[in-house]
Amino acid sequence: MSLIGITLRNRYQIFKQLGVGGFGETYLAYDLDLPDYPTCVVKHLKPKNANPTILEIAQKKFDQEAKILYKLGNAHPQIPQLFAHFLENEKFYLVQEYVDGNNLTSEIIPGYRQSEAEVLKLTKEILEVLAFVHQQGIIHRDIKPMNLMRRKDGKIVLIDFGAVKEIGALQVNPQGESSLTVAIGTPGYMPSEQQALYPQFSSDIYAVGIIAFQALTGLQPLQLPRNVNGEICCALFQGTVNISLGFAEFLDKMVRYDYRQRYQDATAALQALQQQFNISQAQTLVPAPPTARLISSQSGGEASIFQKIRLFFQDLFSESTPDNSFASTVAITQPAFNSAAKQIHFEQPEGQVSLESAFYIERPPIESDCYEEILQSGALIRIKAPRQMGKTSLLTRILDCGTKQGYSAAYLNFQSADAEFFTNLDKFLQWFCVSIAQELNLPDKLREYWQGVLGSKDKCTNYFQRYLLAEIPHPIVLGLDEVDQVFQYPQVASEFFALLRAWHETSKNKEIWKKLRLAIVHSKEVYIPLNINQSPFNVGLPIELPEFNKLQVEDLLQRHDLHWHEVEIQQFMDMLGGHPYLVRKAIYEIARGRINLSQLLQIAPTEEGFYSDHLRRHLSNLQEDINLASAMKQVVAASSSVRIDSGLAFKLRSMGLVKFQVNNVISSCELYRQYFDEHLG
């Protein structure tokens, strides 16, 4: 509900809304207690959970953060002063100084590239105020153009500290211990360690670096290309951005993926910038002394030659251009930005995409939702998608997220089990327990726990409760991949999945079971008969992995150094849709020069094309079920979406061959339509 028209504390009369976010709302208000009713800013913070325990902890957190804001605002003129903080009707409010000016979105405009001199000056201005914040032991956690105001006097003002937003993201366990439910920050500006709820001072440095790249390139954060190491770097902008060697090195270090390789805080970054460019307090860029410059160029090779040429021009222009706008005056680019530096080590598009890969494409908000969920007590995530859609790659990242939190992680692929284990529930559960113990680097204690008259499920539960969960003091993330394999054995499947559901329900009441977090991956629809109260497939967080959208395909193309026109991208997606494997395979072959787009469009749906094995496998599966083959034939023969039996439609969708349009279906892509139209005739 909007607060416009309401007067808080009989003093702050709200008259305009400035913004709405996930953690609260921001308003303009008149301060009725002061002459001329000056304008102030009122922030309304909303805890996600309003139970008494949450509110009590949130109040303490609120008071702590308010003290910090009072201190910062009173000690530095470029941080808004905090006038008041209070709780009214179980709602939290901050009253702050109104900053008369515009945020940096009015300066950093998509499609507009600023010069190096402009970006260097902006970076210095941000780091100067951020250095003060870091010196107070505070991480801002939400540095972005929206939170940087250009005041009327030209100064940068830092607003909207992320720590305050924790109040809206708190959760509390039964012991009264508080933790965050989500990472505080903004996608694109938030580095990996911050997303994993482990922010560092260098996390803010990463965000400032992203802003600098935005200003230099005119690209939005999520549009910035990455190299083979998954990092943004200046070498990727050869021919489009004029930038000096020193500033390129500085920016590259700011946005390293590993937070330990960045400048550790804003003071260190500011010092490096000043030493590199000899920036005076008057914001003038002065060339470094010749002696120091010559020492820095002793490394030899191409870069050394470039540096010497660069130094010559710096000396030449130092008197005539005291602002050292050398980068915009003389367009010399670093030789390291040549084709040799841009060589990309392409990855075979088979199997999962490794954690270190530069070619993993996120599908927001799926990753962040999964990372948030796996940190919850007794979490259960269900990932479903057709084969080769990236399920295992996502599962690997969920396990990695848990590991970074200090959890233990165990991965189990059910395709690795011998067929004999599926013939008997007792054998299956013994294999399951031993496999998990091995993954957790624990010795096998099956003999000790698999005794007595208890049933197999009780023995398995005891093994987990009295051994695995008791032995490991921290949470355990259990990733179960390819559980479709179990579907083929209905008797084992019904008992096993009922057991997983029972564990999930137990985690709501028993502390030791809260430590177990499950992530289950499958491709097929669940057709085995399961009691609705005994199935893990109707609880927890459901994730259906979608195809790549156009922006994600464009991102993958850029990472392979392919720059296509709009028409080419549309032709490509018409043929392949956004199926991750089909898209990655094609881009891989094209990027290596093995085929071009025109040739791909011709041979992709034929036996000559490199999808032939993929297509024949689908054809074989269809031909095993005459009804399924007939339904697919009907789909590909139609010129528009058609209605088929719902059971067959869901089976075809689980194979990735069709997609729904309301209650009708169409072929997922032209590749499948052309191939099956010919081979199912």
Side-chain angles (χ1 to χ4, degrees), residues 384-387 389 523-525 527 544-545 579 618 628 632 644 646-662 664-666 668:
K384 185 182 77 169
R387 293 196 176 280
M389 286 283 290
S523 300
K524 298 177 182 176
E525 302 292 334
Y527 290 110
E544 287 208 33
L545 276 181
H579 189 292
H618 276 307
L628 204 58
M632 188 63 189
I644 60 175
S646 61
L648 296 173
F650 276 102
K651 286 183 179 179
L652 289 172
R653 187 184 72 160
S654 71
M655 296 170 69
L657 299 180
V658 302
K659 53 188 175 184
F660 279 99
Q661 285 191 343
V662 191
N664 292 356
V665 295
I666 59 171
S668 294

Side-chain angles (χ1 to χ4, degrees), residues 241-260:
V241 173
N242 290 328
I243 182 171
S244 63
L245 175 65
F247 197 41
E249 291 173 346
F250 176 78
L251 291 182
D252 286 353
K253 185 169 181 177
M254 291 185 83
V255 295
R256 293 283 185 226
Y257 179 85
D258 187 341
Y259 68 89
R260 294 165 297 188

Side-chain angles (χ1 to χ4, degrees), residues 393-669:
S393 299
L394 174 60
L395 177 61
T396 302
R397 282 156 178 79
I398 294 171
L399 296 176
D400 182 62
C401 175
T403 302
K404 287 177 179 175
Q405 292 297 309
Y407 301 172
S408 291
Y411 171 81
L412 187 59
N413 188 322
F414 285 89
Q415 288 189 341
S416 67
D418 294 341
E420 64 176 293
F421 292 123
F422 293 99
T423 59
N424 176 278
L425 179 64
D426 194 68
K427 280 186 176 181
F428 175 79
L429 292 180
Q430 287 187 48
W431 167 81
F432 179 67
C433 286
V434 172
S435 299
I436 298 302
Q438 287 179 345
E439 279 287 300
L440 295 173
N441 295 316
L442 293 175
D444 170 25
K445 291 191 177 182
L446 205 60
R447 289 186 180 181
E448 182 178 338
Y449 289 93
W450 223 266
Q451 303 291 335
V453 296
L454 292 176
S456 301
K457 289 196 292 183
D458 286 330
K459 292 175 182 176
C460 183
T461 298
N462 284 337
Y463 193 86
F464 266 76
Q465 179 172 318
R466 298 181 182 178
Y467 177 36
L468 301 182
L469 293 171
E471 187 76 17
I472 295 179
H474 40 259
I476 299 172
V477 183
L478 183 55
L480 306 181
D481 204 358
E482 299 285 359
V483 301
D484 308 69
Q485 194 74 9
V486 191
F487 296 165
Q488 302 174 44
Y489 307 90
Q491 186 173 357
V492 170
S494 59
E495 298 287 351
F496 175 62
F497 292 126
L499 181 63
L500 295 184
R501 172 63 182 268
W503 290 353
H504 177 67
E505 295 300 326
T506 303
S507 71
K508 297 176 182 177
N509 301 306
K510 285 193 175 182
E511 282 305 309
I512 194 166
W513 284 96
K514 293 182 187 293
K515 293 162 59 178
L516 184 65
R517 289 93 194 273
L518 294 170
I520 303 173
V521 174
H522 62 106
S523 300
K524 298 177 182 176
E525 302 292 334
V526 184
Y527 290 110
I528 55 175
L530 290 174
N531 184 307
I532 191 172
N533 297 315
Q534 296 181 338
S535 171
F537 297 105
N538 54 9
V539 291
L541 175 67
I543 297 291
E544 287 208 33
L545 276 181
E547 294 185 333
F548 290 156
N549 60 32
K550 183 171 176 288
L551 287 176
Q552 289 157 355
V553 171
E554 288 177 344
D555 185 3
L556 191 60
L557 285 166
Q558 288 181 358
R559 297 188 195 193
H560 285 79
D561 200 26
L562 295 174
H563 307 282
W564 291 357
H565 297 297
E566 190 77 19
V567 173
E568 293 174 308
I569 295 172
Q570 192 58 56
Q571 289 175 331
F572 181 76
M573 293 196 68
D574 286 344
M575 175 58 71
L576 304 178
H579 189 292
Y581 166 71
L582 300 180
V583 167
R584 288 185 64 226
K585 177 68 174 174
I587 292 177
Y588 171 76
E589 298 294 345
I590 293 172
R592 294 171 70 217
R594 303 297 177 87
I595 194 173
N596 60 38
L597 177 59
S598 177
Q599 293 167 331
L600 170 76
L601 298 176
Q602 282 187 324
I603 69 169
T606 71
E607 298 296 346
E608 181 187 354
F610 43 69
Y611 295 126
S612 56
D613 289 343
H614 173 87
L615 294 168
R616 282 197 299 271
R617 176 172 58 80
H618 276 307
L619 180 62
S620 176
N621 291 333
L622 288 172
Q623 290 173 335
E624 290 178 2
D625 185 333
I626 188 172
N627 293 324
L628 204 58
S630 178
M632 188 63 189
K633 181 179 178 181
Q634 183 182 349
V635 171
V636 299
S639 58
S640 59
S641 64
V642 295
R643 179 75 62 91
I644 60 175
D645 176 80
S646 61
L648 296 173
F650 276 102
K651 286 183 179 179
L652 289 172
R653 187 184 72 160
S654 71
M655 296 170 69
L657 299 180
V658 302
K659 53 188 175 184
F660 279 99
Q661 285 191 343
V662 191
N663 292 320
N664 292 356
V665 295
I666 59 171
S667 178
S668 294
C669 58

Side-chain angles (χ1 to χ4, degrees), residues 294-314:
L294 288 173
I295 291 172
S296 69
S297 65
Q298 292 299 310
S299 58
E302 248 186 351
S304 172
I305 294 170
F306 168 76
Q307 285 174 324
K308 291 172 182 176
I309 296 172
R310 174 175 173 263
L311 295 172
F312 169 77
F313 279 104
Q314 279 186 320

Side-chain angles (χ1 to χ4, degrees), residues 203-222:
S203 303
D204 285 346
I205 300 303
Y206 179 93
V208 178
I210 293 296
I211 292 172
F213 272 102
Q214 262 189 279
L216 273 173
T217 66
L219 298 174
Q220 295 292 345
L222 297 177

Side-chain angles (χ1 to χ4, degrees), residues 99-274:
V99 179
D100 190 8
N102 298 302
N103 64 52
L104 290 190
T105 58
S106 63
E107 297 180 20
I108 302 174
I109 302 169
Y112 173 74
R113 298 172 186 162
Q114 296 185 24
S115 70
E116 174 179 344
E118 291 173 315
V119 177
L120 196 155
K121 180 176 180 293
L122 175 64
T123 304
K124 174 181 175 289
E125 289 176 318
I126 298 171
L127 288 174
E128 283 176 334
V129 63
L130 184 60
F132 171 79
V133 174
H134 285 182
Q135 287 162 10
Q136 311 309 307
I138 297 162
I139 306 171
H140 186 282
R141 283 190 281 177
D142 202 13
I143 302 287
K144 59 183 178 181
M146 283 284 291
N147 289 340
L148 293 160
M149 299 290 294
R150 177 75 71 183
R151 205 165 52 195
K152 291 293 186 182
D153 63 1
K155 297 287 188 181
I156 291 286
V157 179
L158 183 57
I159 66 171
D160 213 10
F161 283 70
V164 177
K165 298 176 182 177
E166 286 188 10
I167 294 163
L170 284 174
Q171 67 170 3
V172 178
N173 65 22
Q175 286 75 42
E177 299 168 331
S178 65
S179 62
L180 288 181
T181 56
V182 294
I184 304 299
T186 301
Y189 301 96
M190 183 167 45
S192 58
E193 75 278 358
Q194 190 172 335
Q195 293 178 37
L197 308 181
Y198 189 58
Q200 308 289 315
F201 289 111
S202 63
S203 303
D204 285 346
I205 300 303
Y206 179 93
V208 178
I210 293 296
I211 292 172
F213 272 102
Q214 262 189 279
L216 273 173
T217 66
L219 298 174
Q220 295 292 345
L222 297 177
Q223 295 175 326
L224 292 169
R226 296 173 185 271
N227 64 15
V228 292
N229 297 317
E231 294 182 324
I232 300 164
C233 66
C234 293
L236 297 173
F237 301 100
Q238 177 191 9
T240 60
V241 173
N242 290 328
I243 182 171
S244 63
L245 175 65
F247 197 41
E249 291 173 346
F250 176 78
L251 291 182
D252 286 353
K253 185 169 181 177
M254 291 185 83
V255 295
R256 293 283 185 226
Y257 179 85
D258 187 341
Y259 68 89
R260 294 165 297 188
Q261 296 178 6
R262 302 179 208 133
Y263 299 105
Q264 290 307 291
D265 58 27
T267 300
L270 188 59
Q271 288 174 349
L273 192 66
Q274 290 170 336

